[in-house]
Amino acid sequence: MSGFFNSSIGRKYAMALSAFFLIIFLVIHLAVNITSLFSEDLFNQLSHFMGTNPLIQFAMQPVLIFGVVFHFIMGFVLELKNKGSRNVKYAKNNGSANSTWMSRNMIYSGLVILAFIVLHFIDFWIPELNTKYVQGDMSGMLAGEEGFRYFEELQHKFVEPWRVGAYIVAFILLALHLLHGFTSAFQSVGATMGRKKTMKNIGKAYSILIPLGFIVIALFHHFNH
Amino acid sequence: MNLTLKIWRQKGPQEKGKMVDYKVSDISEHMSFLEMMDVLNEQLVNSGEEPVAFDHDCREGICGMCSLHINGEAHGPDRGITTCQLHMRMFKDGETITIEPWRAKAFPVIKDLVVDRTAFERIQQAGGYISVNTSGNTQDANAIPISKHAADEAMDAAACIGCGACVASCKNSSAMLFVGAKVSQFALLPQGQVEAVDRVKNMVAQMDLEGFGNCTNTGACEVECPKEISLENIARMNRELVKASLIKF
């Protein structure tokens, strides 16, 4: 199979498989975060579980990081290869006549999402690693020990309007990325179902509802802290 | 109709090309696009200029020779047609029409609007065939039972005329619709099974070798294809390659 993954189609497959993985991850991430809208306690407990469970921390998390990094690197590699396949550009090219804006600009929506992930890592992931593995505080408690710190930290992050704005822009771009990417991943692995009307509608619903969920969470905590 | 044409002129494969403006007048809206090009060339010959080189052969939409990227689209603004089937009534009087050759690294320009599409032939030679005994003992193909559904789908895939509009329209210059169609027309039929594993592997390897880009499922090829070849053929090729790679490492 090594020959397969070196072929153009094999790379398409790899891109789609990492996409499926990230599509599932987004659902889990949203499912956890959405609890913060109605139950501080549940959100804290879920966050503590996700943040301290060894299976999630040392098995799932590295796989996730690999999936994200792989999807980005492969995306860039393919984009460069594809750009190089047309050495002279058209003087006039009417791309909108035959394809969607989303499908033609995956690299740009992807770059915005990458920038967002960097911000997101600086906001949450790096401080989390620092608290748990550098300072060695695995308790998940606030400094005064008056309860879990997760909900407090989440609310604190969405005080500044610029960050809420950045999150909204990034999630709109994520929606655009998914509007092409969701069904495209099915087509890449050769699944005809991606072209069926039902699947297209599921794709549309997913692409809009998931990012919208994250936007609602950011706005909710901005106005309710 | 009076038109302004912006046409890519390039003396040879190594020469630098440029867009040149031409005026044509009294063009009938009933003319095909290639007939309009003929009028322009007659005009150029009469004034002692070099006529514009462009590919054409049957002029009835089945040979796959005519190409041309017209106003930013392969075979122009109409759907399900080749350039020879494009009528001038699709354009407005006084319009400026931009005419360019197919643009892809794997389709180098030979002259003006003519590109070298032999990359497609090399892909075909890599596996787009079946081995049949032709010594006089050939079995009648109709003796093999084939479902109506498979026969229809194979026929739809076989409708590909190899014009290269898919490559020209694709933002990645990918040839996957062409190769997908060529793989599919055999993959769907019992006669194609004998060489199925090697066919898809060799054709995809040759496609990659020729320098075509990678498909990102924009679907532009399917829209611009004069024979309306479905994207389903690309999905089938992808499945065929996985199957072949599992059977033969």
Side-chain angles (χ1 to χ4, degrees), chain B residues 143-236:
Chain B
I144 307 168
I146 298 166
S147 78
K148 172 86 170 81
H149 183 68
D152 284 351
E153 278 198 299
M155 193 63 203
D156 286 347
C160 168
I161 50 176
C163 66
C166 45
V167 174
S169 309
C170 177
K171 80 176 189 66
N172 312 316
S173 309
S174 172
M176 287 202 193
L177 193 67
F178 167 76
V179 184
K182 297 301 172 194
V183 166
S184 286
Q185 73 179 69
F186 296 118
L188 286 156
L189 299 175
Q191 290 95 326
Q193 300 314 308
V194 186
E195 287 142 322
V197 170
D198 289 330
R199 175 179 305 113
V200 66
K201 288 184 93 162
N202 293 342
M203 289 182 84
V204 169
Q206 188 63 38
M207 168 181 81
D208 290 347
L209 201 66
E210 297 290 348
F212 292 105
N214 204 332
C215 169
T216 54
N217 310 320
T218 67
C221 53
E222 183 186 49
V223 175
E224 299 292 352
C225 175
K227 297 298 155 189
E228 299 173 323
I229 303 288
S230 164
L231 273 191
E232 173 53 25
N233 292 297
I234 299 181
R236 187 179 295 105

Side-chain angles (χ1 to χ4, degrees), chain A residues 8 82 85-86 91 184 190, chain B residues 100 103 105 208 214 217 239:
Chain A
S8 52
N82 289 342
S85 300
R86 177 162 293 143
S184 175
Chain B
E100 295 172 84
R103 294 289 188 201
K105 208 169 95 184
D208 290 347
N214 204 332
N217 310 320
R239 292 198 294 274

Side-chain angles (χ1 to χ4, degrees), chain A residues 1-4 6-13 78-79 81-95 97-100 103-107 180 183-192 195, chain B residues 19 69 71-73 79 98 100-105 167-173 176 204 207-208 211-220 222-224 230-232 234-235 237-239 241-242 245-246 249:
Chain A
M1 289 297 275
S2 68
F4 173 73
N6 280 327
S7 73
S8 52
I9 294 175
R11 287 180 179 162
K12 241 180 113 162
Y13 254 86
L78 290 174
E79 177 69 16
K81 161 98 181 58
N82 289 342
K83 277 259 180 307
S85 300
R86 177 162 293 143
N87 41 4
V88 182
K89 283 199 168 63
Y90 287 112
K92 189 172 180 183
N93 191 31
N94 190 4
N98 51 39
S99 54
T100 62
S103 72
R104 282 176 279 123
N105 293 283
M106 291 298 271
I107 191 73
H180 174 68
T183 44
S184 175
F186 284 94
Q187 166 77 5
S188 286
V189 296
T192 308
R195 308 193 68 233
Chain B
M19 300 298 288
H69 210 251
N71 276 352
E73 282 187 80
R79 292 287 169 258
T98 307
E100 295 172 84
W102 287 170
R103 294 289 188 201
K105 208 169 95 184
V167 174
S169 309
C170 177
K171 80 176 189 66
N172 312 316
S173 309
M176 287 202 193
V204 169
M207 168 181 81
D208 290 347
F212 292 105
N214 204 332
C215 169
T216 54
N217 310 320
T218 67
E222 183 186 49
V223 175
E224 299 292 352
S230 164
L231 273 191
E232 173 53 25
I234 299 181
M237 169 176 65
N238 296 356
R239 292 198 294 274
L241 188 70
V242 175
S245 303
L246 288 170
F249 289 113

